[in-house]
Amino acid sequence: MIVKKDEFSTKCNQTDHHRMSGGRQEEFRTWLREEWGRTLEDIFHEHMQELILMKFIYTSQYDNCLTYRRIYLPPNSPDDLIKPGLFKGTYGSHGLEIVMLSFHGKKAKGTKITGDPNIPAGQQTVEIDLAHPLQLPDIENLRDFSELSRIVLEVQEQVRREEQEEEQRQEEEDRSQQAASQPAAQPLGGEGAKGEETAAGAEGVAQDKAPASQPFVLPMGVISRNEDYPRTCRICFYGTGLIAGHGFTSPERTPGVFVLFDDDRFGFIWLELKSFSLYSRIKVSFQNAEAPSREAFDEMLKNIQSLAP
């Protein structure tokens, strides 16, 4: 075992102790019963079989060197939408995965603590834009996937325009500062601050006006691992989700809907995948796991993301 600050590594030197007399087939069947509580014959979905085999092959490489790194629980603030922390999320054929929800001003981030063959641990699986709440249609129109898609794509275009305008404003401010010995960009800065206050105010108004709960149902055609999800929600926001091919190839952020159900559950509708993930809070107490500072937590997030291939 090798030990460094905030991390350690292990490597098995006697891998034969992990082998079974029946060979790899017996190892696989035993692992499948322990991991999934079923046999491969019970799993009819070909894609799911492929993912399960990939996971077994990786986890049964007993001569691998495994590295463990310290993670901090996210700091919390009274202004947070809900208490941040660890959640278990449903990821279709990949099964359950652990995600850390943290808040960063007008953004919220869901970072994978456990990964899968497509998106490894450490990557930001979802990002929620808290400055852009979504007004869902009535329950009947919500069943229409095309209607929800239209609403989300309109907000996506709005976000794109706002980002372009902010880039232009920043460029103009930089040019003004370079052109004068004393920066004359104060009016632009003032307007920008005013715009930010308006956006923050709009967010607050949107949350204030939102009912304590509103009916919710998944649109037709959206796949959920099970139908046991809440039928009411508090509020929804525009967000993006990270998707990729096997081996984290061609990663891209795609639009989606963050759905807040209550203090301990939220969901995400992956528009491009027509899939729904449900996240439930992990109610386990961890001693001395809080980050010593916001800076230390942000640095940890950056470090674990850089570990991914």
Side-chain angles (χ1 to χ4, degrees):
M1 183 171 71
I2 303 173
V3 180
K4 297 180 181 178
K5 185 179 184 301
D6 291 333
E7 73 174 60
F8 65 91
S9 300
T10 63
K11 180 179 176 64
C12 180
N13 295 322
Q14 294 180 314
T15 56
D16 289 344
H17 286 283
H18 299 287
R19 304 301 178 189
M20 294 184 176
S21 58
R24 295 288 279 174
Q25 187 173 14
E26 182 185 353
E27 290 176 22
F28 175 66
R29 291 188 176 279
T30 302
W31 174 85
L32 195 60
R33 285 195 302 270
E34 294 175 349
E35 183 84 6
W36 291 82
R38 56 208 299 196
T39 65
L40 196 62
E41 289 76 17
D42 297 330
I43 303 170
F44 301 106
H45 197 291
E46 185 176 343
H47 180 58
M48 178 176 267
Q49 289 183 349
E50 178 186 354
L51 293 173
I52 290 172
L53 284 169
M54 288 175 66
K55 186 173 183 179
F56 169 73
I57 291 171
Y58 179 79
T59 57
S60 62
Q61 292 174 345
Y62 303 119
D63 56 347
N64 279 349
C65 181
L66 303 177
T67 299
Y68 303 80
R69 290 177 172 86
R70 184 189 304 279
I71 61 171
Y72 295 121
L73 292 180
N76 60 78
S77 163
D79 297 329
D80 292 342
L81 190 64
I82 58 173
K83 182 181 177 182
L86 298 176
F87 291 76
K88 55 183 178 180
T90 57
Y91 280 84
S93 301
H94 292 303
L96 292 175
E97 299 186 28
I98 298 176
V99 169
M100 177 185 289
L101 178 69
S102 57
F103 292 91
H104 309 261
K106 294 179 183 177
K107 301 283 187 182
K109 299 178 181 180
T111 303
K112 280 197 174 186
I113 302 303
T114 57
D116 56 55
N118 293 74
I119 308 294
Q123 292 298 314
Q124 189 180 311
T125 177
V126 294
E127 179 177 283
I128 303 99
D129 190 339
L130 300 176
H132 289 88
L134 294 177
Q135 182 61 51
L136 295 181
D138 60 70
I139 197 70
E140 288 305 317
N141 287 326
L142 182 56
R143 296 179 187 275
D144 183 357
F145 179 80
S146 62
E147 176 63 14
L148 179 65
S149 180
R150 180 190 65 80
I151 293 172
V152 174
L153 293 180
E154 284 181 357
V155 176
Q156 182 188 37
E157 179 60 24
Q158 177 188 346
V159 171
R160 187 189 64 80
R161 289 197 305 268
E162 290 174 357
E163 289 175 346
Q164 287 181 339
E165 291 170 0
E166 176 60 24
E167 288 178 3
Q168 293 173 358
R169 187 191 71 80
Q170 188 62 49
E171 290 175 359
E172 292 173 1
E173 187 173 334
D174 291 343
R175 283 196 295 268
S176 298
Q177 290 176 345
Q178 292 173 0
S181 56
Q182 293 185 351
Q186 186 59 37
L188 284 174
E191 290 175 6
K194 182 178 179 181
E196 289 176 1
E197 289 173 5
T198 302
E203 177 191 341
V205 170
Q207 293 193 41
D208 290 341
K209 288 184 178 180
S213 65
Q214 51 187 318
F216 176 81
V217 66
L218 287 176
M220 297 292 292
V222 173
I223 301 170
S224 177
R225 190 177 182 190
N226 58 58
E227 293 299 315
D228 187 21
Y229 63 87
R231 292 310 195 268
T232 61
C233 67
R234 289 183 184 174
I235 193 169
C236 299
F237 291 93
Y238 170 77
T240 59
L242 183 62
I243 64 174
H246 287 348
F248 197 44
T249 55
S250 305
E252 62 174 319
R253 303 209 69 85
T254 60
V257 181
F258 171 85
V259 186
L260 178 64
F261 294 114
D262 53 42
D263 288 341
D264 296 321
R265 290 177 297 178
F266 64 88
F268 192 83
I269 300 175
W270 306 75
L271 220 60
E272 186 166 322
L273 301 179
K274 284 192 173 182
S275 178
F276 174 73
S277 293
L278 177 64
Y279 302 83
S280 304
R281 185 182 300 278
I282 298 176
K283 298 180 180 180
V284 177
S285 297
F286 297 95
Q287 300 296 322
N288 305 315
E290 292 75 16
S293 66
R294 165 60 69 176
E295 292 73 20
F297 179 77
D298 291 340
E299 184 67 21
M300 179 214 70
L301 281 186
K302 185 190 305 182
N303 289 340
I304 63 174
Q305 186 169 0
S306 68
L307 298 175

